[in-house]
Amino acid sequence: MYGGALMAEDYRKMWEELRIDLEAHDGLLGVLPPLFSDVFLSQEGRPARMSYFDYVFSEVHGLRIQELVTHKDKGGIVVGTYCTYAPDELIMAANGISVGLCAGADVAPEAAMEFLPANLCPLIKSSLGFKLAKVCPYIESCDLLVGETTCDGKKKFYEILGEMQEVHVMELPQKKGDTDREMWKSEVRALAARLEEVSGQKIDVAGLKQAIKVANDKRRALLRLSELRKSDPPVISGRDALLISQIAFNDDPRRFTVKLNELCDELDKRRAQGKTIGGPARPRVMVSGCPMALPNWKLANVIETSGAVVAMEEMCTGIRYFRNLVDETPNDLEGLYDAIADRYLKIDCAVFTPNTERIENILGLVRDYDIDAVVYHALTACDPYTIEAYKVQKALEDAGVPMLYVETDYGDDSGQIATRVQALLEMVD
Amino acid sequence: MYGGALMAEDYRKMWEELRIDLEAHDGLLGVLPPLFSDVFLSQEGRPARMSYFDYVFSEVHGLRIQELVTHKDKGGIVVGTYCTYAPDELIMAANGISVGLCAGADVAPEAAMEFLPANLCPLIKSSLGFKLAKVCPYIESCDLLVGETTCDGKKKFYEILGEMQEVHVMELPQKKGDTDREMWKSEVRALAARLEEVSGQKIDVAGLKQAIKVANDKRRALLRLSELRKSDPPVISGRDALLISQIAFNDDPRRFTVKLNELCDELDKRRAQGKTIGGPARPRVMVSGCPMALPNWKLANVIETSGAVVAMEEMCTGIRYFRNLVDETPNDLEGLYDAIADRYLKIDCAVFTPNTERIENILGLVRDYDIDAVVYHALTACDPYTIEAYKVQKALEDAGVPMLYVETDYGDDSGQIATRVQALLEMVD
């Protein structure tokens, strides 16, 4: 599994060197184990191989950070990302480790409000809160942060973040025509150049092909898990699948792939043996919309403790992250860069206009995963997803699938959401 | 002035033909005169030539709509716009009349909420509300609506609006590099082609040069008015200047220019005679940020009835609309299209990243207009402007100019705002 585990005092030394606020960080780490235990460990009959992901989570600020430090000591770089649009392949090919930085809990909201308006997406406020409170060893390990002009909130947030750390902002186009594709291709090349500059290492064909394979293998494993979630009754819970998606952004990709495939082997067997999780058939729910960054498990937990199973996440912490593969066939840098650009431009985020692809993909998922109801996860003030909910709802209505629109942030509104989710489930039971 | 005025019953017939909801429309029109009287006509010693703009406002749903109808009867087209990025010159050159459609009052909020989230910019909700309530004879006269991918809210709103009316969305880039400029140039040409298609009339060099001159003349007149607002004590109120900016989006541009120059002639004389408006020198305030669509006069009214004068609007209903001219020298279509693209890409809207131009422009205006304090006008949930407020505030702080951040919508919070504005003015008095 991981290399030799360090002692607690070694972690504190490492965090100190990263200029982490130890007291605030202790507070944060103290909250997580009981929450994790409540949401995950309380599940009956979990697959044994989930233990790897549980362990990774328990060491998410420990061993994994130590790996980043070791990598940097050996001359590598660490690059932070905030979106599924950041091409991991380029980061890997430039001797980098890519780490996801979006944050899923309210941290230092008052401090963040000195820079950002109160009425803003909780994910962005949290990202800045983690930085300001100095409780995120990932961001403090980063040599470069990569942003994209996705939504207004993030686009303008990166300007403020850029005063605190090096940020490279890729311009993501807003349509998907020919000019847009050309622009995006040049942005992919500009990022490659920036990464080469930061890492002092040229990206070559062999390295990039290798990186593409590593990233695709990870996606293939995640897709394999998704396929297994078509089982009815289910062999894995939606909460566990969400945890795996969240961990995918920060774990070592090669090891993650091995471990996820081992889990899938176990799930194959369980399916063959008729071993399910959570007992008999339950309503199958798809969660659709905004991402759920670690440790945001609220909605999945509410749905699954209300008697349904989440069979699919149509989110960036879900299938939007791994649906598409990069073409592995080109044998020259230009061809590989284009293949990367093409792959990432396929992502059907609501920031694009028009975004009919997403509607078609949602209908396809509803069909393929035999979905009974959709819960639309809208983070407060996320205009692209909150507005696109109208088109999604309309399409689902036409398909005869009920949708519950839940606008929420990182506050504790589980009770109200549960009432609404239960009403939805009664409709489809 | 206008052509022969119609009788009230003729207007009703015209509105009916435009499928206006007459009852709801009566309600709307009933609210405006007392509000207008309170904000504008109550001012002492107003320039006589403001009477033209008062008249245009009083006939904004009457005579001006009749002009649109007449224009259409003669084979012309009417094109609705929502942003200062819509190139009026192209519309004019395609035998079109351009009309601004952003809306500045709460109309049918419940109906709009069936399509849009509650926590959204009031301007967008209002734009849809006016459409759904059928009380906007402008939008009902339009052959085409032109939108741009400016902010997330508008970008996604146009998708919904597109289900109700023909909408052409221009892709505005998010940076101002070479690739962005090329993209925007092609978007300008795509709009030209679309306008030709809708109007059935080719855009030619002579017509486009003429249109550019008309638009530039309007801008020159607005800039002349701005210059006159450097007078201290002032010769015109900020409220009146705001009204003129708002009317600029919908009035006939040639007539508007003549009338505005006549007003400026009068102001020149008043200045020479020492005739001021509002008596002795008062704190000079710049309003900066989000646009104020008709009939949104709240903030300007609060500031000026609190003892200050608004000497500049750093807004789209203000200098952002007319600061830059189009180069009139090219003598071929391609050169003219490029000149138009260049001019519009200079607009320093907060949707761009980075947007240091805007900060520099704000500091320049503060200096040139001898501004004592800035009131930042943030419409609720407008991420680009609410987030950019941080950088603006910082720059103003460094320049020693106090800034008051006001986040507001179209509700009646004048009382609370007045308290805060008065506290600001005490600081600079």
Side-chain angles (χ1 to χ4, degrees):
Chain A
M1 194 176 292
Y2 274 107
L6 295 183
M7 292 291 111
E9 55 265 41
D10 294 321
Y11 285 167
R12 298 188 76 80
K13 192 159 164 276
M14 171 178 80
W15 293 329
E16 242 174 357
E17 278 166 12
L18 290 169
R19 287 184 299 269
I20 294 298
D21 180 332
L22 290 181
E23 201 181 325
H25 191 243
D26 285 348
L28 178 70
L29 291 195
V31 176
L32 293 177
L35 179 64
F36 187 81
S37 173
D38 183 44
V39 174
F40 293 98
L41 307 182
S42 65
Q43 298 176 89
E44 276 175 38
R46 281 176 95 207
R49 295 290 186 165
M50 278 307 298
S51 62
Y52 171 75
F53 302 97
D54 294 351
Y55 183 68
V56 171
F57 179 73
S58 73
E59 287 289 343
V60 76
H61 278 202
L63 278 176
R64 183 64 182 144
I65 302 301
Q66 181 56 48
E67 291 182 338
L68 302 185
V69 170
T70 306
H71 176 73
K72 285 166 70 95
D73 286 346
K74 288 183 188 159
I77 59 169
V78 176
V79 178
T81 68
Y82 287 93
C83 249
T84 48
Y85 285 102
D88 282 342
E89 295 83 353
L90 297 181
I91 296 170
M92 278 191 268
N95 196 18
I97 291 180
S98 154
V99 291
L101 293 175
C102 277
D106 277 332
V107 167
E110 299 80 14
M113 271 177 63
E114 286 179 31
F115 297 85
L116 296 172
N119 186 19
L120 187 68
C121 156
L123 192 148
I124 298 171
K125 287 193 284 191
S126 171
S127 295
L128 185 61
F130 270 88
K131 172 72 191 165
L132 295 173
K134 298 182 185 168
V135 293
C136 178
Y138 287 95
I139 195 167
E140 302 308 331
S141 304
C142 285
D143 300 286
L144 183 69
L145 308 178
V146 175
E148 301 85 17
T149 61
T150 49
C151 59
D152 293 335
K154 280 192 172 168
K155 175 169 68 178
K156 300 305 283 185
F157 158 64
Y158 295 136
E159 295 177 9
I160 294 173
L161 193 64
E163 295 184 349
M164 305 170 191
Q165 221 163 320
E166 279 297 307
V167 181
H168 177 91
V169 178
M170 301 178 81
E171 184 171 9
L172 186 72
Q174 305 184 65
K175 295 186 175 186
K176 295 185 178 179
D178 294 342
T179 329
D180 305 297
R181 193 167 300 274
E182 288 314 306
M183 169 192 275
W184 181 238
K185 283 180 178 176
S186 75
E187 290 293 304
V188 164
R189 284 161 175 81
L191 175 65
R194 180 72 182 267
L195 288 166
E196 288 179 335
E197 186 191 310
V198 173
S199 75
Q201 188 167 318
K202 279 278 176 202
I203 294 175
D204 60 27
V205 174
L208 188 51
K209 277 183 82 80
Q210 177 64 24
I212 289 172
K213 173 129 191 354
V214 169
N216 275 348
D217 283 346
K218 182 166 96 169
R219 293 179 189 120
R220 279 187 277 257
L222 286 159
L223 286 166
R224 184 180 166 201
L225 177 66
S226 293
E227 278 299 308
L228 281 158
R229 294 173 74 194
K230 291 182 179 169
S231 306
D232 187 10
V235 291
I236 186 165
S237 71
R239 274 165 286 180
D240 282 337
L242 173 62
L243 179 67
I244 292 166
S245 280
Q246 291 170 328
I247 284 174
F249 285 85
N250 289 51
D251 197 12
D252 175 79
R254 288 180 179 83
R255 182 177 57 212
F256 175 89
T257 302
V258 169
K259 294 294 170 184
L260 181 51
N261 276 317
E262 287 176 7
L263 172 68
C264 290
D265 294 341
E266 180 187 357
L267 296 182
D268 275 336
K269 278 187 207 137
R270 283 168 70 105
R271 182 156 66 169
Q273 297 162 352
K275 260 200 214 170
T276 66
I277 178 140
R282 289 170 291 165
R284 297 171 62 78
V285 169
M286 178 165 85
V287 178
S288 171
C290 298
M292 296 171 179
L294 269 178
N296 181 9
W297 308 305
K298 182 171 65 178
L299 193 55
N301 193 43
V302 166
I303 294 168
E304 297 205 323
T305 54
S306 297
V309 64
V310 176
M312 173 47 58
E313 293 81 25
E314 193 274 324
M315 308 191 297
C316 286
T317 46
I319 200 153
R320 217 186 315 286
Y321 178 54
F322 52 81
R323 176 196 290 270
N324 305 301
L325 303 183
V326 177
D327 179 8
E328 297 181 15
T329 56
N331 286 312
D332 62 309
L333 270 185
E334 297 308 317
L336 293 168
Y337 286 148
D338 286 350
I340 289 170
D342 283 340
R343 184 265 165 199
Y344 283 89
L345 203 58
K346 279 189 201 140
I347 298 174
D348 58 353
C349 175
V351 297
F352 282 96
T353 189
N355 195 29
T356 41
E357 267 175 290
R358 181 170 171 233
I359 308 293
E360 287 157 19
N361 286 337
I362 285 174
L363 293 176
L365 291 170
V366 163
R367 198 175 48 239
D368 296 348
Y369 286 80
D370 197 17
I371 297 297
D372 301 304
V374 171
V375 176
Y376 198 93
H377 176 240
L379 288 173
T380 316
C382 171
D383 287 353
Y385 281 96
T386 57
I387 302 179
E388 197 158 279
Y390 164 75
K391 294 233 172 193
V392 174
Q393 177 130 36
K394 216 173 119 184
L396 288 171
E397 250 172 44
D398 291 346
V401 178
M403 176 184 124
L404 173 68
Y405 177 79
V406 176
E407 197 167 314
T408 185
D409 54 17
Y410 298 162
D412 182 17
D413 50 0
S414 294
Q416 292 113 290
I417 296 176
T419 309
R420 298 180 63 212
V421 165
Q422 283 151 17
L424 172 77
L425 297 179
E426 277 166 27
M427 286 172 63
V428 298
D429 237 356
Chain B
M1 194 177 291
Y2 273 107
L6 295 185
M7 293 291 112
E9 55 264 43
D10 295 321
Y11 284 168
R12 297 187 77 81
K13 193 158 163 277
M14 172 177 80
W15 293 330
E16 242 172 356
E17 280 166 11
L18 290 169
R19 288 185 295 270
I20 294 297
D21 179 333
L22 291 181
E23 201 180 324
H25 191 241
D26 285 349
L28 179 69
L29 291 195
V31 177
L32 292 176
L35 179 64
F36 187 81
S37 172
D38 183 45
V39 174
F40 292 98
L41 307 181
S42 64
Q43 300 175 88
E44 277 174 38
R46 280 177 97 207
R49 294 290 185 165
M50 276 307 297
S51 61
Y52 170 75
F53 302 97
D54 293 350
Y55 183 69
V56 172
F57 179 73
S58 73
E59 287 289 344
V60 77
H61 279 202
L63 279 176
R64 183 63 182 145
I65 302 301
Q66 182 56 49
E67 291 182 339
L68 302 185
V69 170
T70 305
H71 176 72
K72 284 167 69 96
D73 286 346
K74 288 183 188 158
I77 60 169
V78 176
V79 178
T81 68
Y82 287 93
C83 248
T84 49
Y85 286 102
D88 281 342
E89 295 83 354
L90 297 182
I91 297 170
M92 280 192 266
N95 196 19
I97 292 180
S98 153
V99 292
L101 293 176
C102 278
D106 277 330
V107 168
E110 298 80 12
M113 269 176 64
E114 285 179 31
F115 297 84
L116 295 172
N119 185 18
L120 187 68
C121 156
L123 192 147
I124 297 172
K125 287 192 285 190
S126 171
S127 296
L128 185 60
F130 270 88
K131 172 70 191 165
L132 295 173
K134 299 180 185 169
V135 293
C136 178
Y138 286 96
I139 194 167
E140 302 308 331
S141 303
C142 285
D143 300 286
L144 182 70
L145 308 178
V146 175
E148 301 85 18
T149 60
T150 49
C151 58
D152 293 334
K154 281 191 171 167
K155 175 169 68 178
K156 300 305 282 184
F157 159 63
Y158 295 136
E159 295 177 10
I160 293 173
L161 193 64
E163 295 184 350
M164 306 171 190
Q165 222 165 318
E166 280 296 306
V167 180
H168 178 91
V169 178
M170 302 179 78
E171 183 171 9
L172 186 72
Q174 307 185 64
K175 294 186 176 185
K176 294 185 178 179
D178 293 341
T179 330
D180 305 296
R181 193 167 301 275
E182 287 315 306
M183 168 192 276
W184 181 238
K185 283 179 178 176
S186 76
E187 289 293 305
V188 164
R189 285 161 174 82
L191 175 65
R194 179 73 182 264
L195 289 165
E196 288 179 336
E197 185 191 310
V198 173
S199 76
Q201 188 168 317
K202 278 279 175 202
I203 295 175
D204 61 25
V205 173
L208 188 52
K209 278 183 82 81
Q210 179 63 27
I212 289 171
K213 174 135 190 353
V214 169
N216 275 348
D217 283 347
K218 182 166 97 169
R219 294 180 188 119
R220 280 186 276 258
L222 285 159
L223 285 166
R224 183 179 167 202
L225 177 66
S226 292
E227 278 300 307
L228 281 157
R229 295 174 73 193
K230 291 181 178 169
S231 306
D232 187 10
V235 291
I236 187 165
S237 71
R239 273 164 288 180
D240 282 337
L242 173 62
L243 179 67
I244 291 167
S245 280
Q246 291 171 329
I247 283 174
F249 286 84
N250 289 49
D251 197 14
D252 175 80
R254 288 180 178 82
R255 181 177 59 212
F256 174 91
T257 302
V258 170
K259 293 296 170 183
L260 181 51
N261 276 317
E262 286 175 8
L263 171 69
C264 290
D265 292 343
E266 180 188 356
L267 296 181
D268 275 337
K269 279 189 205 133
R270 285 168 69 106
R271 182 157 65 169
Q273 295 162 352
K275 261 203 212 166
T276 67
I277 177 139
R282 289 171 291 165
R284 298 172 60 80
V285 169
M286 178 164 85
V287 178
S288 171
C290 297
M292 295 172 180
L294 268 179
N296 181 11
W297 308 305
K298 181 171 68 179
L299 192 55
N301 193 44
V302 165
I303 294 167
E304 296 204 323
T305 54
S306 297
V309 65
V310 176
M312 172 48 59
E313 292 82 23
E314 192 273 326
M315 308 192 296
C316 286
T317 47
I319 199 152
R320 215 185 318 283
Y321 178 55
F322 52 81
R323 176 196 291 269
N324 304 302
L325 304 183
V326 176
D327 179 8
E328 297 180 15
T329 55
N331 286 313
D332 61 308
L333 270 184
E334 298 307 317
L336 292 169
Y337 287 148
D338 285 350
I340 289 170
D342 283 340
R343 184 266 167 199
Y344 283 88
L345 203 58
K346 277 189 201 139
I347 299 174
D348 58 354
C349 175
V351 295
F352 282 96
T353 189
N355 196 27
T356 41
E357 267 175 290
R358 180 169 172 233
I359 308 294
E360 287 157 19
N361 286 337
I362 285 174
L363 294 176
L365 291 170
V366 162
R367 199 175 48 239
D368 296 347
Y369 286 79
D370 197 17
I371 297 297
D372 300 305
V374 171
V375 175
Y376 199 91
H377 175 241
L379 287 174
T380 316
C382 171
D383 287 353
Y385 282 96
T386 57
I387 302 179
E388 196 158 280
Y390 164 76
K391 293 231 172 191
V392 173
Q393 177 129 35
K394 217 173 119 183
L396 288 170
E397 250 172 44
D398 292 346
V401 178
M403 175 182 125
L404 174 67
Y405 177 79
V406 176
E407 198 167 312
T408 184
D409 55 18
Y410 298 161
D412 182 17
D413 50 359
S414 293
Q416 292 113 289
I417 297 176
T419 309
R420 299 180 61 211
V421 165
Q422 282 151 19
L424 172 77
L425 297 178
E426 277 166 26
M427 286 172 63
V428 298
D429 235 357

mmCIF file with all atom_site columns, all heavy atoms in Angstrom, chain A residues 198-209:
data_model
loop_
_atom_site.group_PDB
_atom_site.id
_atom_site.type_symbol
_atom_site.label_atom_id
_atom_site.label_alt_id
_atom_site.label_comp_id
_atom_site.label_asym_id
_atom_site.label_entity_id
_atom_site.label_seq_id
_atom_site.pdbx_PDB_ins_code
_atom_site.Cartn_x
_atom_site.Cartn_y
_atom_site.Cartn_z
_atom_site.occupancy
_atom_site.B_iso_or_equiv
_atom_site.pdbx_formal_charge
_atom_site.auth_seq_id
_atom_site.auth_comp_id
_atom_site.auth_asym_id
_atom_site.auth_atom_id
_atom_site.pdbx_PDB_model_num
ATOM 1  N N   . VAL A 1 198 ? 7.978  25.694 -15.144 1.00 0.00 ? 198 VAL A N   1
ATOM 2  C CA  . VAL A 1 198 ? 7.962  25.538 -13.687 1.00 0.00 ? 198 VAL A CA  1
ATOM 3  C C   . VAL A 1 198 ? 8.770  24.313 -13.258 1.00 0.00 ? 198 VAL A C   1
ATOM 4  O O   . VAL A 1 198 ? 9.483  24.347 -12.256 1.00 0.00 ? 198 VAL A O   1
ATOM 5  C CB  . VAL A 1 198 ? 6.506  25.454 -13.164 1.00 0.00 ? 198 VAL A CB  1
ATOM 6  C CG1 . VAL A 1 198 ? 6.463  25.121 -11.680 1.00 0.00 ? 198 VAL A CG1 1
ATOM 7  C CG2 . VAL A 1 198 ? 5.759  26.756 -13.444 1.00 0.00 ? 198 VAL A CG2 1
ATOM 8  N N   . SER A 1 199 ? 8.638  23.232 -14.046 1.00 0.00 ? 199 SER A N   1
ATOM 9  C CA  . SER A 1 199 ? 9.306  21.996 -13.627 1.00 0.00 ? 199 SER A CA  1
ATOM 10 C C   . SER A 1 199 ? 10.742 21.927 -14.126 1.00 0.00 ? 199 SER A C   1
ATOM 11 O O   . SER A 1 199 ? 11.528 21.118 -13.632 1.00 0.00 ? 199 SER A O   1
ATOM 12 C CB  . SER A 1 199 ? 8.545  20.776 -14.141 1.00 0.00 ? 199 SER A CB  1
ATOM 13 O OG  . SER A 1 199 ? 8.760  20.606 -15.526 1.00 0.00 ? 199 SER A OG  1
ATOM 14 N N   . GLY A 1 200 ? 11.064 22.757 -15.109 1.00 0.00 ? 200 GLY A N   1
ATOM 15 C CA  . GLY A 1 200 ? 12.396 22.678 -15.705 1.00 0.00 ? 200 GLY A CA  1
ATOM 16 C C   . GLY A 1 200 ? 12.605 21.393 -16.484 1.00 0.00 ? 200 GLY A C   1
ATOM 17 O O   . GLY A 1 200 ? 13.729 20.947 -16.695 1.00 0.00 ? 200 GLY A O   1
ATOM 18 N N   . GLN A 1 201 ? 11.516 20.775 -16.901 1.00 0.00 ? 201 GLN A N   1
ATOM 19 C CA  . GLN A 1 201 ? 11.633 19.507 -17.618 1.00 0.00 ? 201 GLN A CA  1
ATOM 20 C C   . GLN A 1 201 ? 10.757 19.530 -18.865 1.00 0.00 ? 201 GLN A C   1
ATOM 21 O O   . GLN A 1 201 ? 9.573  19.857 -18.799 1.00 0.00 ? 201 GLN A O   1
ATOM 22 C CB  . GLN A 1 201 ? 11.193 18.366 -16.699 1.00 0.00 ? 201 GLN A CB  1
ATOM 23 C CG  . GLN A 1 201 ? 11.474 17.013 -17.302 1.00 0.00 ? 201 GLN A CG  1
ATOM 24 C CD  . GLN A 1 201 ? 11.335 15.895 -16.273 1.00 0.00 ? 201 GLN A CD  1
ATOM 25 O OE1 . GLN A 1 201 ? 11.773 16.021 -15.126 1.00 0.00 ? 201 GLN A OE1 1
ATOM 26 N NE2 . GLN A 1 201 ? 10.716 14.815 -16.678 1.00 0.00 ? 201 GLN A NE2 1
ATOM 27 N N   . LYS A 1 202 ? 11.337 19.185 -19.990 1.00 0.00 ? 202 LYS A N   1
ATOM 28 C CA  . LYS A 1 202 ? 10.605 19.167 -21.255 1.00 0.00 ? 202 LYS A CA  1
ATOM 29 C C   . LYS A 1 202 ? 9.606  18.012 -21.281 1.00 0.00 ? 202 LYS A C   1
ATOM 30 O O   . LYS A 1 202 ? 9.911  16.919 -20.798 1.00 0.00 ? 202 LYS A O   1
ATOM 31 C CB  . LYS A 1 202 ? 11.592 18.989 -22.419 1.00 0.00 ? 202 LYS A CB  1
ATOM 32 C CG  . LYS A 1 202 ? 12.269 20.276 -22.832 1.00 0.00 ? 202 LYS A CG  1
ATOM 33 C CD  . LYS A 1 202 ? 11.341 21.065 -23.764 1.00 0.00 ? 202 LYS A CD  1
ATOM 34 C CE  . LYS A 1 202 ? 11.921 22.418 -24.139 1.00 0.00 ? 202 LYS A CE  1
ATOM 35 N NZ  . LYS A 1 202 ? 10.885 23.361 -24.570 1.00 0.00 ? 202 LYS A NZ  1
ATOM 36 N N   . ILE A 1 203 ? 8.467  18.266 -21.854 1.00 0.00 ? 203 ILE A N   1
ATOM 37 C CA  . ILE A 1 203 ? 7.494  17.190 -22.082 1.00 0.00 ? 203 ILE A CA  1
ATOM 38 C C   . ILE A 1 203 ? 7.886  16.503 -23.385 1.00 0.00 ? 203 ILE A C   1
ATOM 39 O O   . ILE A 1 203 ? 8.032  17.168 -24.419 1.00 0.00 ? 203 ILE A O   1
ATOM 40 C CB  . ILE A 1 203 ? 6.072  17.768 -22.180 1.00 0.00 ? 203 ILE A CB  1
ATOM 41 C CG1 . ILE A 1 203 ? 5.648  18.356 -20.822 1.00 0.00 ? 203 ILE A CG1 1
ATOM 42 C CG2 . ILE A 1 203 ? 5.077  16.705 -22.651 1.00 0.00 ? 203 ILE A CG2 1
ATOM 43 C CD1 . ILE A 1 203 ? 4.306  19.057 -20.823 1.00 0.00 ? 203 ILE A CD1 1
ATOM 44 N N   . ASP A 1 204 ? 8.102  15.170 -23.346 1.00 0.00 ? 204 ASP A N   1
ATOM 45 C CA  . ASP A 1 204 ? 8.432  14.485 -24.594 1.00 0.00 ? 204 ASP A CA  1
ATOM 46 C C   . ASP A 1 204 ? 7.335  13.478 -24.948 1.00 0.00 ? 204 ASP A C   1
ATOM 47 O O   . ASP A 1 204 ? 6.437  13.210 -24.146 1.00 0.00 ? 204 ASP A O   1
ATOM 48 C CB  . ASP A 1 204 ? 9.815  13.826 -24.534 1.00 0.00 ? 204 ASP A CB  1
ATOM 49 C CG  . ASP A 1 204 ? 9.908  12.788 -23.432 1.00 0.00 ? 204 ASP A CG  1
ATOM 50 O OD1 . ASP A 1 204 ? 8.866  12.206 -23.058 1.00 0.00 ? 204 ASP A OD1 1
ATOM 51 O OD2 . ASP A 1 204 ? 11.021 12.574 -22.930 1.00 0.00 ? 204 ASP A OD2 1
ATOM 52 N N   . VAL A 1 205 ? 7.425  12.953 -26.167 1.00 0.00 ? 205 VAL A N   1
ATOM 53 C CA  . VAL A 1 205 ? 6.372  12.067 -26.682 1.00 0.00 ? 205 VAL A CA  1
ATOM 54 C C   . VAL A 1 205 ? 6.196  10.852 -25.788 1.00 0.00 ? 205 VAL A C   1
ATOM 55 O O   . VAL A 1 205 ? 5.073  10.518 -25.380 1.00 0.00 ? 205 VAL A O   1
ATOM 56 C CB  . VAL A 1 205 ? 6.692  11.635 -28.135 1.00 0.00 ? 205 VAL A CB  1
ATOM 57 C CG1 . VAL A 1 205 ? 5.691  10.593 -28.620 1.00 0.00 ? 205 VAL A CG1 1
ATOM 58 C CG2 . VAL A 1 205 ? 6.678  12.844 -29.059 1.00 0.00 ? 205 VAL A CG2 1
ATOM 59 N N   . ALA A 1 206 ? 7.310  10.200 -25.447 1.00 0.00 ? 206 ALA A N   1
ATOM 60 C CA  . ALA A 1 206 ? 7.203  8.971  -24.652 1.00 0.00 ? 206 ALA A CA  1
ATOM 61 C C   . ALA A 1 206 ? 6.553  9.265  -23.301 1.00 0.00 ? 206 ALA A C   1
ATOM 62 O O   . ALA A 1 206 ? 5.636  8.549  -22.863 1.00 0.00 ? 206 ALA A O   1
ATOM 63 C CB  . ALA A 1 206 ? 8.591  8.366  -24.451 1.00 0.00 ? 206 ALA A CB  1
ATOM 64 N N   . GLY A 1 207 ? 6.999  10.349 -22.659 1.00 0.00 ? 207 GLY A N   1
ATOM 65 C CA  . GLY A 1 207 ? 6.456  10.696 -21.338 1.00 0.00 ? 207 GLY A CA  1
ATOM 66 C C   . GLY A 1 207 ? 4.982  11.049 -21.414 1.00 0.00 ? 207 GLY A C   1
ATOM 67 O O   . GLY A 1 207 ? 4.191  10.683 -20.532 1.00 0.00 ? 207 GLY A O   1
ATOM 68 N N   . LEU A 1 208 ? 4.613  11.763 -22.473 1.00 0.00 ? 208 LEU A N   1
ATOM 69 C CA  . LEU A 1 208 ? 3.220  12.190 -22.580 1.00 0.00 ? 208 LEU A CA  1
ATOM 70 C C   . LEU A 1 208 ? 2.315  11.003 -22.903 1.00 0.00 ? 208 LEU A C   1
ATOM 71 O O   . LEU A 1 208 ? 1.211  10.881 -22.367 1.00 0.00 ? 208 LEU A O   1
ATOM 72 C CB  . LEU A 1 208 ? 3.087  13.294 -23.637 1.00 0.00 ? 208 LEU A CB  1
ATOM 73 C CG  . LEU A 1 208 ? 1.729  13.981 -23.721 1.00 0.00 ? 208 LEU A CG  1
ATOM 74 C CD1 . LEU A 1 208 ? 1.238  14.463 -22.348 1.00 0.00 ? 208 LEU A CD1 1
ATOM 75 C CD2 . LEU A 1 208 ? 1.768  15.168 -24.686 1.00 0.00 ? 208 LEU A CD2 1
ATOM 76 N N   . LYS A 1 209 ? 2.811  10.128 -23.751 1.00 0.00 ? 209 LYS A N   1
ATOM 77 C CA  . LYS A 1 209 ? 2.021  8.926  -24.080 1.00 0.00 ? 209 LYS A CA  1
ATOM 78 C C   . LYS A 1 209 ? 1.805  8.089  -22.807 1.00 0.00 ? 209 LYS A C   1
ATOM 79 O O   . LYS A 1 209 ? 0.714  7.576  -22.552 1.00 0.00 ? 209 LYS A O   1
ATOM 80 C CB  . LYS A 1 209 ? 2.733  8.080  -25.154 1.00 0.00 ? 209 LYS A CB  1
ATOM 81 C CG  . LYS A 1 209 ? 2.478  8.587  -26.574 1.00 0.00 ? 209 LYS A CG  1
ATOM 82 C CD  . LYS A 1 209 ? 3.121  7.702  -27.625 1.00 0.00 ? 209 LYS A CD  1
ATOM 83 C CE  . LYS A 1 209 ? 2.313  6.471  -27.982 1.00 0.00 ? 209 LYS A CE  1
ATOM 84 N NZ  . LYS A 1 209 ? 1.220  6.704  -28.918 1.00 0.00 ? 209 LYS A NZ  1
#
